[in-house]
Every structure is written in C-alpha cells, then in structure tokens.
Amino acid sequence: MAGTALDMTGPRPGAGIPVYAVYGTPDPAAATMAELLTRGVHLRQLGPDHLIPLDTGLPDLAQPILDMLGRHNGRPLAGAVGFDDWWTTALALLNPGFPLEPARRLVTDKAALYTALTTNGVPAPPHITGILDADLLVTALDQFGPAPILKPATGAGSRGVYRYRPHLTIAENLAIYQRLRELGHIDTSVATIACPYLGGPDALEISVDAIVCAGTIVHTVVHEKCTATRVEPFVDQVMRTPPVQPQIAAALPPIPAIIAGIAATLHLRDGALHAELRLHHKTWYVLDVGVRPGAGLVAHAVQAVTGTDPRAAHLAASIGQPLTAAVMRARTGTHPAAAIACCYLSNDRRDAVDLASQAGLARRLRQHPDVLGWHLNAADLHDQIYRPDAGLSIGVGAATATDAHTRLQSIVAPYGYTTS
C-alpha cells in the first residue's frame, strides 16, 4: 500500500461498493455468512454500472439492469443487500417491498434522525441545520460554544465531520471545512448539521451492534473505542469488547433501552443495527446509526462473542426472509471477548519491510487459533519517494478484552506493526 500519487494499483473500479445481488434460497437455519454461502446462496458484487442506473429510480434506466441481474449461474435473483448507508433506491428496486427502506432513509437524514430519536426519548445531540456558510458558524458558536462539531446531514460514520478550531477565525474555519468537504466528495448542496462537542479530553465513546428479530433485540455487542481521536478524521484504530474502561462499564446499564429505542424509532422489525454513542455528563448520546452491521472486522468480533453473524441477519432481512430468534439464540460464541485493530508499520521499520517478512506474518496469522480474521495490504519497493508501507486489519479473540488486546499487539509487534 504505497499511498502516493504515483500508485497505479488502486482498488478495482467499484470494489469499494459493498452491495451484492443475492441468488438462490437462503437456508433459514443458517446463522452465519459462511453457512449461507455453503448452503446454496451465491453473491455477486454490484458496481457503479449496475447501481447508478438503478439508483436514479428511472424505469427506462433501471429495467435493463433488472433484466440483466434476474439470474446468475442458474440461480434466480432473491434480492440484494448493501453493507453501507447508500444505494437505498437501487436496493428498493432489487428488493420489491424492501422492508429496510424507511429505516435507511431516516438514518441518512441525520437532522430528521436526531429529531425522531429525541421525540422518542432517545438522547441525541441538540443541533441546528443549514447550508454551510459564515452565518451558520456564527449561530453554532452562539448556541454551542467555542468548538462545535460540523457534519453533513447525510449518512453515518465520520466522513465530513469537523470540530471547529477556536484559535482560527470564522472565515478560516469555513475555508478549511469547505476543502475537507471537497476531499470527502460531499456536495456543497448537502445541508450541514452543527452540534455541541459532547465531552472533553476524557470523552468516552462506544459502538453498539445489535441484531433485531421481530422487533426484539436478540444480541447486543458493545465495542469500546480505545483510540477515537478528538479531531478529524476521528479514526477508530483499536476497539475491544466487552468494554474495559471502568467509566464505560459502569455506564452500560441504559444501553439495552437505548438500542431498543433506536429500533422502535426506526420501526425496524428485523435486521442489524450499528450505532455510535458518546458518554457526556453521565448520559449516552446517539451520534450515528446505520441500518447495517459495523464495517470491517466488527461483524467478525460480533460473531466471535455471540455465534451469530450480523451480516447474515442483515442479508436475510434485506431480501424479506428474516432469520428467527430461535436460530440466532441457538448459537454460542467461540470467545468471550475480542479486540480488533487497524495496524500500520512504524516509521523506523518501513524501509526494512519486504514481502518475505509479510509472508511470515501471514503464516503466523493463518496458524493462530485466536485470530478471527485479517486483511493485509503490502508493497515491496525501496524508494524514499515511493516508500513501502502496509496496513493490517486484524481481530483476535480471548477470555477477556484486555487479553485479546494484549495478544493482538504481541502478534503484530514483531513484524513492525503498531496500533498507535
């Protein structure tokens, strides 16, 4: 992973779009993606050429794509599943009567989501909404203090999130945030939400993944965010479950009611939820919600501690064939706790890395019984401009979250990787 403008080996076109057409009939007794795929389900990843015409909602553009996708390898189209917050119009065409559509529409209108949550008694940040300009910043400063948070009013996650910098002028903050929005490909017509910054140097954040069946929360897994930063890009580099910090553990009792309140607000009967929450003055505030599992290895950690894969629950709910609570509760996890991390080569090791050393790491990861999964990018080129680099995503299970975190670090450190 070279990370310079000279890199000509970027991801395959469309590879970053996690939308899949689903073919075949899912086994209702399957509780994991692996089981679905070995029992007759086939996935076909869809790219921009498929999704853009569908997402326009125009029948003349959509129908040829629907005809093209009707069968694959002899299997009929059962529907489609999306593992990000986008492409809801396309998914609604691929899933007639798409049961997740209303909930997905709401979570991608963040101002409406915050209002709906608050109306239903679920704490969400106070906020104002408007087109990004100096007047909006002046109002935000008046209402929320010297360092408000700015974010686009669409989608979940940290894309386009910015904390106002009090040492800069309004004009300077506006200029920086406009450029950050451009870098994130966030159109200037998209409304901006301004909220107070909830917390301080000791702010605590968690993510919660839940599996919902017939309106009931079947599983809830809380990840402690160990490295969420206080300035953009707000990277969650290390997460562990269950939480270890005493302040978080002591504040967890309200979480089940909050997650049930989110599901009720979204009128979500079946599927997976991913929520981001921050603890502020002993109250958990919901920052973001996705009607999907958490990204990366989050789902692998959830499966490790519950035995059920939230991606399978999400797929089944997307195509209108939800899993039953009995199936999801019948499984047991392989580990009581887990840690997941994004690791990078420390600067003092970058010039020494080569593919042979990465092959040794790969062998160790394959053989380690507690590694839940991993994904490695690597390069082998010694050049001060085009420097070698690597990124490793990894999940590890153990008896406790502290043990999982320690074991993860002990696995990657000999190969020059760091989580800090």
Side-chain angles (χ1 to χ4, degrees):
M1 183 173 70
T4 75
L6 302 177
D7 189 353
M8 296 180 66
T9 57
R12 291 189 302 275
I17 299 176
V19 177
Y20 298 84
V22 181
Y23 295 91
T25 302
D27 183 343
T32 68
M33 287 298 298
E35 290 171 355
L36 285 173
L37 295 174
T38 56
R39 299 179 188 179
V41 166
H42 181 79
L43 300 183
R44 177 183 179 185
Q45 189 171 13
L46 303 182
D49 290 348
H50 301 109
L51 293 169
I52 289 174
L54 291 171
D55 219 49
T56 66
L58 297 175
D60 288 346
L61 289 175
Q63 193 57 52
I65 304 299
L66 294 173
D67 293 341
M68 180 193 312
L69 296 175
R71 295 187 69 84
H72 184 63
N73 288 344
R75 296 180 175 91
L77 179 68
V81 57
F83 292 99
D84 63 9
D85 301 308
W86 316 113
W87 309 107
T88 298
T89 298
L91 289 165
L93 288 173
L94 292 162
N95 296 300
F98 187 33
L100 304 185
E101 181 176 7
R104 287 174 64 88
R105 297 286 186 200
L106 182 54
V107 299
T108 51
D109 183 345
K110 203 166 291 184
L113 173 66
Y114 283 179
T115 299
L117 289 170
T118 303
T119 300
N120 283 282
V122 179
H127 64 281
I128 58 173
T129 309
I131 297 301
L132 179 63
D133 58 19
D135 289 340
L136 180 70
L137 299 190
V138 169
T139 304
L141 291 169
D142 287 343
Q143 292 197 24
F144 304 133
I149 294 291
L150 305 173
K151 59 180 76 176
T154 58
S158 60
R159 191 172 69 108
V161 178
Y162 174 74
R163 187 181 179 198
Y164 191 94
R165 302 175 185 183
H167 64 284
L168 300 179
T169 66
I170 288 175
E172 290 167 340
N173 273 284
L174 180 60
I176 288 174
Y177 187 46
Q178 285 172 330
R179 295 300 174 266
L180 287 172
R181 292 268 292 244
E182 290 173 5
L183 286 172
H185 303 290
I186 301 166
D187 192 88
T188 55
S189 66
V190 173
T192 297
I193 289 181
C195 307
Y197 175 65
L198 301 178
D202 298 322
L204 299 173
E205 239 178 77
I206 60 173
S207 70
V208 183
D209 280 80
I211 297 175
V212 186
C213 178
T216 299
I217 309 300
V218 176
H219 290 297
T220 302
V221 176
V222 179
H223 273 97
E224 169 189 339
K225 297 184 172 187
C226 302
T227 54
T229 58
R230 291 183 290 277
V231 296
E232 61 285 330
F234 300 99
V235 174
D236 300 324
Q237 198 167 335
V238 180
M239 300 167 66
R240 56 192 179 188
T241 185
V244 172
Q245 291 191 60
Q247 302 97 313
I248 293 180
L252 288 181
I255 292 299
I258 291 173
I259 299 304
I262 294 173
T265 299
L266 298 178
H267 302 288
L268 185 70
R269 295 283 299 164
D270 299 282
L273 275 178
H274 178 79
E276 309 279 339
L277 298 91
R278 175 167 285 201
L279 186 63
H280 177 64
H281 293 165
K282 299 183 179 180
T283 296
W284 288 109
Y285 287 86
V286 178
L287 303 182
D288 285 303
V289 178
V291 183
R292 54 168 175 79
L297 291 173
V298 170
H300 298 74
V302 173
Q303 182 177 336
V305 299
T306 68
T308 301
D309 188 338
R311 298 173 302 170
H314 180 55
L315 183 152
S318 295
I319 65 174
Q321 300 181 35
L323 301 177
T324 66
V327 167
M328 291 187 283
R329 289 194 172 112
R331 303 306 178 90
T332 56
T334 56
H335 296 83
I340 55 179
C342 299
C343 314
Y344 297 92
L345 286 169
S346 55
N347 281 329
D348 62 344
R349 295 288 295 271
R350 287 179 66 185
D351 292 331
V353 72
D354 56 28
L355 289 181
S357 66
Q358 303 308 295
L361 170 61
R363 283 192 298 272
R364 184 175 187 193
L365 295 177
R366 289 192 193 101
Q367 295 167 359
H368 201 295
D370 296 325
V371 172
L372 309 176
W374 54 280
H375 183 276
L376 174 68
N377 293 316
D380 191 356
L381 182 64
H382 300 281
D383 185 307
Q384 284 300 304
I385 295 174
Y386 193 29
R387 294 185 71 192
D389 200 358
L392 170 68
S393 295
I394 179 174
V396 173
T400 70
T402 300
D403 288 344
H405 192 179
T406 301
R407 193 166 301 175
L408 186 154
Q409 292 174 313
S410 71
I411 291 171
V412 303
Y415 298 89
Y417 287 94
T418 177
T419 58
S420 62

